[in-house]
mmCIF file of all heavy atoms in Angstrom:
data_model
loop_
_atom_site.group_PDB
_atom_site.id
_atom_site.type_symbol
_atom_site.label_atom_id
_atom_site.label_comp_id
_atom_site.label_asym_id
_atom_site.label_seq_id
_atom_site.Cartn_x
_atom_site.Cartn_y
_atom_site.Cartn_z
ATOM 1 N N ASP A 295 90.979 96.653 33.590
ATOM 2 C CA ASP A 295 91.900 97.643 33.041
ATOM 3 C C ASP A 295 91.130 98.960 32.755
ATOM 4 O O ASP A 295 91.714 100.067 32.791
ATOM 5 C CB ASP A 295 92.568 97.123 31.786
ATOM 6 C CG ASP A 295 93.712 98.005 31.313
ATOM 7 O OD1 ASP A 295 94.379 98.585 32.179
ATOM 8 O OD2 ASP A 295 93.931 98.091 30.085
ATOM 9 N N MET A 296 89.846 98.858 32.453
ATOM 10 C CA MET A 296 89.021 100.046 32.164
ATOM 11 C C MET A 296 88.514 100.682 33.427
ATOM 12 O O MET A 296 87.814 101.700 33.406
ATOM 13 C CB MET A 296 87.842 99.680 31.280
ATOM 14 C CG MET A 296 88.252 99.218 29.863
ATOM 15 S SD MET A 296 89.074 100.465 28.867
ATOM 16 C CE MET A 296 90.752 99.808 28.811
ATOM 17 N N GLY A 297 88.807 100.087 34.605
ATOM 18 C CA GLY A 297 88.406 100.645 35.878
ATOM 19 C C GLY A 297 87.211 100.010 36.550
ATOM 20 O O GLY A 297 86.669 100.557 37.519
ATOM 21 N N ILE A 298 86.800 98.815 36.085
ATOM 22 C CA ILE A 298 85.683 98.099 36.709
ATOM 23 C C ILE A 298 86.272 97.084 37.706
ATOM 24 O O ILE A 298 87.033 96.161 37.289
ATOM 25 C CB ILE A 298 84.851 97.406 35.645
ATOM 26 C CG1 ILE A 298 84.216 98.460 34.725
ATOM 27 C CG2 ILE A 298 83.755 96.524 36.250
ATOM 28 C CD1 ILE A 298 83.428 97.902 33.564
ATOM 29 N N ASN A 299 85.873 97.189 38.946
ATOM 30 C CA ASN A 299 86.502 96.374 40.009
ATOM 31 C C ASN A 299 85.701 95.073 40.276
ATOM 32 O O ASN A 299 86.319 94.031 40.493
ATOM 33 C CB ASN A 299 86.596 97.155 41.285
ATOM 34 C CG ASN A 299 87.510 98.353 41.132
ATOM 35 O OD1 ASN A 299 88.555 98.258 40.489
ATOM 36 N ND2 ASN A 299 87.107 99.520 41.646
ATOM 37 N N LYS A 300 84.400 95.121 40.259
ATOM 38 C CA LYS A 300 83.578 93.969 40.525
ATOM 39 C C LYS A 300 82.850 93.508 39.257
ATOM 40 O O LYS A 300 82.166 94.310 38.615
ATOM 41 C CB LYS A 300 82.560 94.206 41.649
ATOM 42 C CG LYS A 300 81.808 92.973 42.043
ATOM 43 C CD LYS A 300 80.882 93.240 43.277
ATOM 44 C CE LYS A 300 80.144 91.945 43.672
ATOM 45 N NZ LYS A 300 79.289 92.161 44.843
ATOM 46 N N ILE A 301 83.022 92.216 38.882
ATOM 47 C CA ILE A 301 82.515 91.714 37.639
ATOM 48 C C ILE A 301 81.254 90.875 37.899
ATOM 49 O O ILE A 301 81.220 90.010 38.780
ATOM 50 C CB ILE A 301 83.553 90.846 36.935
ATOM 51 C CG1 ILE A 301 84.872 91.597 36.740
ATOM 52 C CG2 ILE A 301 83.015 90.353 35.576
ATOM 53 C CD1 ILE A 301 84.785 92.816 35.841
ATOM 54 N N TYR A 302 80.209 91.137 37.129
ATOM 55 C CA TYR A 302 78.952 90.411 37.165
ATOM 56 C C TYR A 302 78.794 89.663 35.829
ATOM 57 O O TYR A 302 79.411 90.036 34.828
ATOM 58 C CB TYR A 302 77.751 91.299 37.365
ATOM 59 C CG TYR A 302 77.753 92.076 38.665
ATOM 60 C CD1 TYR A 302 78.551 93.222 38.838
ATOM 61 C CD2 TYR A 302 76.933 91.685 39.740
ATOM 62 C CE1 TYR A 302 78.504 93.931 40.059
ATOM 63 C CE2 TYR A 302 76.920 92.406 40.942
ATOM 64 C CZ TYR A 302 77.717 93.514 41.072
ATOM 65 O OH TYR A 302 77.680 94.241 42.291
ATOM 66 N N THR A 303 77.967 88.638 35.836
ATOM 67 C CA THR A 303 77.749 87.869 34.568
ATOM 68 C C THR A 303 76.272 87.518 34.430
ATOM 69 O O THR A 303 75.549 87.348 35.416
ATOM 70 C CB THR A 303 78.607 86.609 34.556
ATOM 71 O OG1 THR A 303 78.447 85.945 33.299
ATOM 72 C CG2 THR A 303 78.233 85.640 35.689
ATOM 73 N N THR A 304 75.848 87.413 33.168
ATOM 74 C CA THR A 304 74.466 86.988 32.869
ATOM 75 C C THR A 304 74.368 85.497 32.824
ATOM 76 O O THR A 304 75.385 84.767 32.908
ATOM 77 C CB THR A 304 74.044 87.545 31.515
ATOM 78 O OG1 THR A 304 74.833 86.947 30.475
ATOM 79 C CG2 THR A 304 74.148 89.034 31.431
ATOM 80 N N ILE A 305 73.145 84.995 32.669
ATOM 81 C CA ILE A 305 72.905 83.575 32.406
ATOM 82 C C ILE A 305 73.478 83.258 30.997
ATOM 83 O O ILE A 305 73.749 84.155 30.221
ATOM 84 C CB ILE A 305 71.412 83.238 32.475
ATOM 85 C CG1 ILE A 305 70.598 84.091 31.441
ATOM 86 C CG2 ILE A 305 70.875 83.445 33.883
ATOM 87 C CD1 ILE A 305 69.175 83.650 31.317
ATOM 88 N N VAL A 306 73.583 81.969 30.731
ATOM 89 C CA VAL A 306 74.069 81.519 29.420
ATOM 90 C C VAL A 306 72.938 81.490 28.421
ATOM 91 O O VAL A 306 71.856 80.915 28.689
ATOM 92 C CB VAL A 306 74.732 80.131 29.528
ATOM 93 C CG1 VAL A 306 75.313 79.715 28.180
ATOM 94 C CG2 VAL A 306 75.805 80.123 30.611
ATOM 95 N N ARG A 307 73.170 82.161 27.271
ATOM 96 C CA ARG A 307 72.117 82.240 26.274
ATOM 97 C C ARG A 307 72.635 81.925 24.891
ATOM 98 O O ARG A 307 73.860 81.821 24.691
ATOM 99 C CB ARG A 307 71.480 83.650 26.248
ATOM 100 C CG ARG A 307 70.748 84.016 27.518
ATOM 101 C CD ARG A 307 70.236 85.429 27.470
ATOM 102 N NE ARG A 307 71.303 86.414 27.670
ATOM 103 C CZ ARG A 307 71.165 87.729 27.515
ATOM 104 N NH1 ARG A 307 69.992 88.209 27.163
ATOM 105 N NH2 ARG A 307 72.173 88.534 27.747
ATOM 106 N N GLY A 308 71.759 81.749 23.935
ATOM 107 C CA GLY A 308 72.137 81.554 22.523
ATOM 108 C C GLY A 308 71.092 82.161 21.633
ATOM 109 O O GLY A 308 69.881 81.983 21.892
ATOM 110 N N SER A 309 71.491 82.901 20.613
ATOM 111 C CA SER A 309 70.485 83.628 19.771
ATOM 112 C C SER A 309 70.584 83.264 18.292
ATOM 113 O O SER A 309 69.952 83.936 17.497
ATOM 114 C CB SER A 309 70.671 85.119 19.975
ATOM 115 O OG SER A 309 71.994 85.530 19.629
ATOM 116 N N HIS A 310 71.373 82.261 17.946
ATOM 117 C CA HIS A 310 71.492 81.846 16.538
ATOM 118 C C HIS A 310 71.197 80.336 16.428
ATOM 119 O O HIS A 310 72.081 79.572 16.034
ATOM 120 C CB HIS A 310 72.873 82.151 15.989
ATOM 121 C CG HIS A 310 73.263 83.581 16.036
ATOM 122 N ND1 HIS A 310 74.597 83.968 16.130
ATOM 123 C CD2 HIS A 310 72.525 84.715 16.028
ATOM 124 C CE1 HIS A 310 74.658 85.312 16.176
ATOM 125 N NE2 HIS A 310 73.410 85.767 16.108
ATOM 126 N N PRO A 311 69.965 79.879 16.771
ATOM 127 C CA PRO A 311 69.744 78.405 16.669
ATOM 128 C C PRO A 311 69.935 77.908 15.237
ATOM 129 O O PRO A 311 69.349 78.470 14.302
ATOM 130 C CB PRO A 311 68.269 78.282 17.118
ATOM 131 C CG PRO A 311 67.701 79.648 16.997
ATOM 132 C CD PRO A 311 68.805 80.600 17.205
ATOM 133 N N SER A 312 70.750 76.895 15.099
ATOM 134 C CA SER A 312 71.165 76.410 13.765
ATOM 135 C C SER A 312 71.495 74.942 13.811
ATOM 136 O O SER A 312 71.597 74.326 14.828
ATOM 137 C CB SER A 312 72.423 77.205 13.299
ATOM 138 O OG SER A 312 72.251 78.586 13.394
ATOM 139 N N GLY A 313 71.667 74.362 12.601
ATOM 140 C CA GLY A 313 72.205 73.036 12.476
ATOM 141 C C GLY A 313 71.206 71.870 12.501
ATOM 142 O O GLY A 313 71.582 70.735 12.332
ATOM 143 N N THR A 314 69.941 72.152 12.707
ATOM 144 C CA THR A 314 68.941 71.098 12.949
ATOM 145 C C THR A 314 68.423 70.428 11.726
ATOM 146 O O THR A 314 67.694 69.433 11.811
ATOM 147 C CB THR A 314 67.746 71.675 13.749
ATOM 148 O OG1 THR A 314 67.344 72.900 13.091
ATOM 149 C CG2 THR A 314 68.152 72.032 15.162
ATOM 150 N N CYS A 315 68.814 70.905 10.547
ATOM 151 C CA CYS A 315 68.526 70.221 9.277
ATOM 152 C C CYS A 315 69.860 70.179 8.463
ATOM 153 O O CYS A 315 69.901 70.533 7.304
ATOM 154 C CB CYS A 315 67.452 70.934 8.463
ATOM 155 S SG CYS A 315 65.865 71.125 9.301
ATOM 156 N N ALA A 316 70.879 69.711 9.112
ATOM 157 C CA ALA A 316 72.243 69.902 8.647
ATOM 158 C C ALA A 316 72.508 69.274 7.274
ATOM 159 O O ALA A 316 72.017 68.237 6.918
ATOM 160 C CB ALA A 316 73.244 69.372 9.656
ATOM 161 N N LEU A 317 73.355 69.994 6.516
ATOM 162 C CA LEU A 317 73.868 69.477 5.245
ATOM 163 C C LEU A 317 74.598 68.176 5.462
ATOM 164 O O LEU A 317 75.404 68.016 6.394
ATOM 165 C CB LEU A 317 74.833 70.488 4.617
ATOM 166 C CG LEU A 317 75.461 70.160 3.268
ATOM 167 C CD1 LEU A 317 74.445 70.303 2.156
ATOM 168 C CD2 LEU A 317 76.677 70.992 2.995
ATOM 169 N N GLY A 318 74.307 67.189 4.636
ATOM 170 C CA GLY A 318 74.936 65.868 4.786
ATOM 171 C C GLY A 318 74.187 64.936 5.692
ATOM 172 O O GLY A 318 74.477 63.738 5.733
ATOM 173 N N LYS A 319 73.170 65.484 6.397
ATOM 174 C CA LYS A 319 72.393 64.656 7.329
ATOM 175 C C LYS A 319 70.922 64.729 7.006
ATOM 176 O O LYS A 319 70.262 63.676 6.916
ATOM 177 C CB LYS A 319 72.629 65.103 8.781
ATOM 178 C CG LYS A 319 74.053 64.870 9.260
ATOM 179 C CD LYS A 319 74.258 65.310 10.688
ATOM 180 C CE LYS A 319 75.684 65.029 11.139
ATOM 181 N NZ LYS A 319 75.924 65.409 12.520
ATOM 182 N N VAL A 320 70.380 65.923 6.800
ATOM 183 C CA VAL A 320 68.963 66.074 6.486
ATOM 184 C C VAL A 320 68.797 66.551 5.031
ATOM 185 O O VAL A 320 67.843 66.145 4.328
ATOM 186 C CB VAL A 320 68.266 67.051 7.451
ATOM 187 C CG1 VAL A 320 66.840 67.274 7.059
ATOM 188 C CG2 VAL A 320 68.335 66.515 8.885
ATOM 189 N N VAL A 321 69.743 67.406 4.550
ATOM 190 C CA VAL A 321 69.663 67.890 3.195
ATOM 191 C C VAL A 321 70.951 67.519 2.479
ATOM 192 O O VAL A 321 72.024 67.351 3.124
ATOM 193 C CB VAL A 321 69.430 69.396 3.082
ATOM 194 C CG1 VAL A 321 68.085 69.760 3.707
ATOM 195 C CG2 VAL A 321 70.546 70.192 3.769
ATOM 196 N N ASN A 322 70.916 67.461 1.126
ATOM 197 C CA ASN A 322 72.123 67.186 0.335
ATOM 198 C C ASN A 322 72.758 68.491 -0.080
ATOM 199 O O ASN A 322 72.347 69.606 0.362
ATOM 200 C CB ASN A 322 71.768 66.321 -0.877
ATOM 201 C CG ASN A 322 70.800 66.983 -1.852
ATOM 202 O OD1 ASN A 322 70.605 68.223 -1.841
ATOM 203 N ND2 ASN A 322 70.135 66.187 -2.671
ATOM 204 N N LYS A 323 73.747 68.447 -0.942
ATOM 205 C CA LYS A 323 74.483 69.609 -1.342
ATOM 206 C C LYS A 323 73.634 70.664 -2.066
ATOM 207 O O LYS A 323 73.962 71.858 -2.150
ATOM 208 C CB LYS A 323 75.672 69.236 -2.251
ATOM 209 C CG LYS A 323 75.273 68.570 -3.554
ATOM 210 C CD LYS A 323 76.497 68.199 -4.370
ATOM 211 C CE LYS A 323 76.121 67.446 -5.648
ATOM 212 N NZ LYS A 323 75.267 68.232 -6.540
ATOM 213 N N ASP A 324 72.467 70.248 -2.565
ATOM 214 C CA ASP A 324 71.517 71.166 -3.234
ATOM 215 C C ASP A 324 70.474 71.643 -2.243
ATOM 216 O O ASP A 324 69.494 72.309 -2.632
ATOM 217 C CB ASP A 324 70.851 70.478 -4.428
ATOM 218 C CG ASP A 324 71.842 70.075 -5.497
ATOM 219 O OD1 ASP A 324 72.764 70.894 -5.789
ATOM 220 O OD2 ASP A 324 71.733 68.955 -6.024
#
């Protein structure tokens, strides 16, 4: 709609690594 006719895409990435010491599994509520 903005006037771009051919679409390209990057590889899949992630920049917010999280969850590896999760509450209820590795740590408690404190």
Side-chain angles (χ1 to χ4, degrees):
D295 192 32
M296 295 297 110
I298 297 174
N299 297 318
K300 185 174 181 180
I301 306 297
Y302 298 79
T303 185
T304 65
I305 60 172
V306 183
R307 294 176 286 172
S309 57
H310 302 151
S312 308
T314 48
C315 301
L317 179 76
K319 295 181 177 180
V320 177
V321 298
N322 63 20
K323 62 181 177 60
D324 297 319

